[in-house]
Amino acid sequence: MTSPYGKLYLIPTTLGDTAPLEVLPISVKKIVEQVDVYIVENEKTARRFIKQIKPSKKQASLQIFLLNKFTDPSELPGFLEPCLLGKHVGLLSEAGCPAIADPGADVVMLAHKQNIQVVPLVGPSSIVMAHMSSGMNGQSFAFNGYLPIDKVERKKELKRLEQLSYSQNQSQSFIETPYRNNKLLEDICQALNDMTLVCVACDITLTSEYIKTQTVAAWKKNSVDLHKRPTLFIIHKE
């Protein structure tokens, strides 16, 4: 039976200043051409992305809902009201795929509860692409988000993740605020066993892309400048 509701499209974006259609399939362009209601993290960058995809789309016709750390949860049902009225809505990521290390999961869950069809579109995910290119365990891995800021707690968490990797043969990935990347790599080298493997996946899909897997001992001798560069770290037993 055809639903009278509009669909919630999960629309990925680029991971940096790359021409959208170099890393996104034509299906994303087709949906952006159709959809005029968007849930976004940052209105300015969202409008710029939409304009890159469809220059002729009138910006004044767009209805934008903001979803970020300042959004009150009570506002979320209103974001999906257009779907209930038969209009399609796009959940647009700030970088990469929506709802994965990105706001939006609560909206997706609400859509399921309201019987609104959720349609994920293909696009770059730094988490998946980093694991793909790491050479580590692609059968069992975990993404742990941000580690504690406190130095002592961060090193304790690194050791815990290392032990988890060793005991369960599971690759453990995490991220950091880009301006603290170099410090995190230093902490990794200080806290972990010399033979533990570390993958640094930086600037994925960009011209400056850098992906390298080597032991902690090797990273101590051969480091890299990660300052203000989006980076995903993965650790695994040798």
Side-chain angles (χ1 to χ4, degrees), residues 189-215:
C189 289
Q190 291 174 9
L192 304 187
N193 187 288
D194 273 355
M195 295 309 296
T196 296
L197 289 170
V198 178
C199 176
V200 171
C202 175
D203 291 344
I204 293 176
T205 73
L206 307 185
T207 56
S208 56
E209 180 178 88
Y210 176 90
I211 303 173
K212 181 74 173 178
T213 296
Q214 57 186 3
T215 64

Side-chain angles (χ1 to χ4, degrees), residues 90-209:
L91 177 60
L92 189 63
S93 175
E94 182 72 5
C97 297
I100 302 295
D102 179 269
D106 290 342
V107 170
V108 174
M109 179 56 72
L110 186 59
H112 285 298
K113 290 179 178 178
Q114 296 185 346
N115 292 316
I116 295 168
Q117 184 179 352
V118 176
V119 183
L121 301 182
V122 175
S125 165
S126 60
I127 298 169
V128 173
M129 295 177 80
H131 279 280
M132 285 169 58
S133 54
S134 69
M136 297 180 183
N137 193 345
Q139 300 295 328
S140 179
F141 56 87
F143 174 66
N144 297 277
Y146 291 91
L147 300 190
I149 295 177
D150 179 78
K151 186 180 181 68
V152 174
E153 291 301 314
R154 186 167 60 245
K155 288 188 176 181
K156 185 185 299 183
E157 179 66 3
L158 284 168
K159 288 181 179 294
R160 187 188 74 82
L161 294 176
E162 181 183 49
Q163 182 56 43
L164 194 60
S165 172
Y166 276 58
S167 63
Q168 298 191 15
N169 190 29
Q170 184 182 66
S171 300
Q172 302 292 327
S173 62
F174 43 89
I175 54 177
E176 178 56 284
T177 303
Y179 68 84
R180 290 202 292 258
N181 281 333
N182 287 337
K183 190 66 181 71
L184 177 55
L185 186 55
E186 289 179 12
D187 289 342
I188 289 171
C189 289
Q190 291 174 9
L192 304 187
N193 187 288
D194 273 355
M195 295 309 296
T196 296
L197 289 170
V198 178
C199 176
V200 171
C202 175
D203 291 344
I204 293 176
T205 73
L206 307 185
T207 56
S208 56
E209 180 178 88

Side-chain angles (χ1 to χ4, degrees), residues 8 24 31 47 56 72 94 127 158 173 179 196 225 230:
L8 176 65
L24 297 172
I31 295 303
R47 286 183 179 277
S56 61
D72 191 308
E94 182 72 5
I127 298 169
L158 284 168
S173 62
Y179 68 84
T196 296
D225 186 7

Side-chain angles (χ1 to χ4, degrees), residues 74-87:
S74 65
E75 298 178 46
L76 300 188
F79 295 176
L80 293 176
E81 188 67 27
C83 284
L84 302 180
L85 298 175
K87 293 183 179 181

Side-chain angles (χ1 to χ4, degrees), residues 223-238:
S223 192
V224 60
D225 186 7
L226 304 172
H227 187 57
K228 293 187 176 180
R229 301 169 68 186
T231 303
L232 193 132
F233 300 86
I234 312 173
I235 63 175
H236 197 87
K237 67 175 184 178
E238 171 65 87

